[in-house]
Amino acid sequence: MEACRSQMLKCSGGFVLVHAGAGYHSESKAKEYKHVCKRACQRAVDQLRAGALAMEAVTAALVELEDSPFTNAGMGSNLNLSGEIECDASIMDGKSLHFGAVGAISGIKNPVLVANCLLIEAQKGKLSAGRIPPCFLVGRGAHDWAVSHGIPPCPSENMATKFSLSAYKRNKRKMELAEKMDAGQNQTKKRRQSSENENGSGCLDTVGAVVIDSEGNVAAAVSSGGLAMKHPGRVGQAAHYGCGCWAENSFNMNSYSTAVSTSGCGEHLIRTMLARECSAAMQSEDAHQALLEAMQNKFISSPFLASEDRVLGGVIVLRCCRNVEAQPSSNVQSAMVEFLWSHTTESMCVGYMSALDSKAKTHISRLPPGTVPGQSLAIEGGVCRLMGVLD
């Protein structure tokens, strides 16, 4: 199933597309989700207008998304089985192709800052004695590395919100009740399915962003608190290479620069490497058709997920044509930027903004009525012209 719309936008100096997760966004909280997407877009555009590159802008957007108590990233993240917060995040630079990530990290308010710092440090080259710098750290090691590189710690209890704490207590009671009940295998299966319906698609609100700057560089980032009641130490797609985000400037055989950020069930996204798959698909001429086919063939109908009844996830995608067109009688050059989002979950909240816009536009995309989450998909997007891009 598909729902599609397109808009034409003016754009100069850069463009940002963000998401506040693919899952379920109730009408009662729609205003809060849209508001945080607007703020994230504004933060990124402020950086672009000041001359920042895509990496700085995408990091600024993620920090804003992580700081919101309404998103499952950074502040207000889901609690694990032990009642603790463990976060995942990653970032990728399309220009250098460097990648930085953290998994199951506790006590850091903005995990994306650690991922970004890892990427920056790796770009400096080898460590003493010829050691290879890390690009992906987890757990206590990631926390200690972050603190040693100037990122302030934040007690995990200060990152929990009233909403995340109440959700943890509610889920814990459900689990304890289910464990006490012993009404046979069929009842156990029904309870498990009920738990998945109640805690599955509604808790997949990973956040992310993709950015293109005035020089045509792209960057992507993603951050998540993970599934509610996850096992301690579990690392989701937000930290895995090729699964949570992907960014690649045009070069050699690639005619398009592409940036992707994903959201959804981490295990589904990891087993399909959806971010990288969508990026590769974007080299086709028709971006909309390419993303539609990638979501259908590489995700919903993926042989790697053949045993799954519902395949839950979403992506935001940005691509820019490498071959810019010179304007008549002018030194100004331009390139066409296409931006899309697609999801198999009930809904996905997105926001987008160019450096020329006075404010961001936001939208909660929903599956068409009567369709089944995890078996159907929605796809929407738009086009803008980016001025001043030099190849």
Side-chain angles (χ1 to χ4, degrees), residues 111-141:
V112 72
L113 293 180
V114 190
N116 186 46
C117 191
L118 279 164
L119 186 152
I120 292 172
E121 290 299 311
Q123 288 179 324
K124 296 178 181 178
K126 293 182 179 179
L127 304 175
S128 60
R131 292 173 298 142
I132 302 297
C135 69
F136 183 9
L137 293 174
V138 299
R140 186 69 192 181

Side-chain angles (χ1 to χ4, degrees), residues 87-362:
C87 296
D88 308 324
S90 64
I91 188 169
M92 188 167 181
D93 177 17
K95 183 178 181 180
S96 68
L97 301 183
H98 276 266
F99 170 85
V102 290
I105 187 172
S106 297
I108 297 294
K109 182 183 177 185
N110 296 112
V112 72
L113 293 180
V114 190
N116 186 46
C117 191
L118 279 164
L119 186 152
I120 292 172
E121 290 299 311
Q123 288 179 324
K124 296 178 181 178
K126 293 182 179 179
L127 304 175
S128 60
R131 292 173 298 142
I132 302 297
C135 69
F136 183 9
L137 293 174
V138 299
R140 186 69 192 181
H143 174 276
D144 293 347
W145 188 94
V147 174
S148 70
H149 284 75
I151 297 175
C154 177
S156 292
E157 56 267 25
N158 293 350
M159 294 175 62
T161 62
K162 290 182 179 180
F163 177 77
S164 62
L165 286 171
S166 63
Y168 170 74
K169 293 176 181 177
R170 183 172 62 252
N171 288 328
K172 190 174 183 179
R173 285 195 299 269
K174 289 179 181 178
M175 289 185 62
E176 291 173 346
L177 179 62
E179 290 170 359
K180 289 179 181 178
M181 295 177 64
D182 186 15
Q185 186 176 359
N186 290 335
Q187 284 294 95
T188 301
K189 183 177 180 181
K190 288 180 180 179
R191 288 195 301 272
R192 186 181 299 117
Q193 291 174 339
S194 175
S195 177
E196 288 173 352
N197 291 336
E198 291 171 0
N199 301 323
S201 63
C203 300
L204 306 177
D205 41 356
T206 299
V207 302
V210 289
V211 170
I212 182 168
D213 62 31
S214 61
E215 296 181 7
N217 301 307
V218 293
V222 62
S223 182
S224 177
L227 295 173
M229 308 304 286
K230 65 183 179 180
H231 193 283
R234 180 260 191 188
V235 177
Q237 105 285 352
H240 282 79
Y241 187 71
C243 305
C245 68
W246 191 264
E248 196 170 351
N249 280 12
S250 60
F251 70 97
N252 297 335
M253 298 299 292
N254 287 352
S255 298
Y256 299 97
S257 295
T258 59
V260 181
S261 182
T262 70
S263 175
C265 178
E267 281 67 21
H268 295 173
L269 296 164
I270 290 170
R271 289 159 65 188
T272 54
M273 294 190 72
L274 189 61
R276 190 170 184 178
E277 289 284 4
C278 288
S279 175
M282 286 300 100
Q283 295 304 321
S284 299
E285 183 176 350
D286 188 332
H288 177 273
Q289 185 64 27
L291 182 58
L292 177 63
E293 292 177 0
M295 288 293 291
Q296 182 63 56
N297 301 330
K298 301 295 185 179
F299 193 56
I300 295 178
S301 302
S302 170
F304 297 100
L305 300 177
S307 62
E308 301 293 338
D309 294 329
R310 299 188 305 157
V311 180
L312 299 168
V315 298
I316 56 171
V317 179
L318 179 153
R319 84 168 187 179
C320 180
C321 183
R322 179 188 180 202
N323 300 315
V324 297
E325 300 175 357
Q327 303 299 305
S329 304
S330 173
N331 292 325
V332 176
Q333 292 181 307
S334 68
M336 193 66 71
V337 176
E338 297 169 89
F339 57 98
L340 297 160
W341 54 87
S342 181
H343 58 95
T344 65
T345 55
E346 292 182 64
S347 61
M348 187 172 190
C349 185
V350 299
Y352 51 95
M353 184 178 184
S354 79
L356 277 184
D357 292 331
S358 58
K359 62 180 181 179
K361 295 179 175 63
T362 59

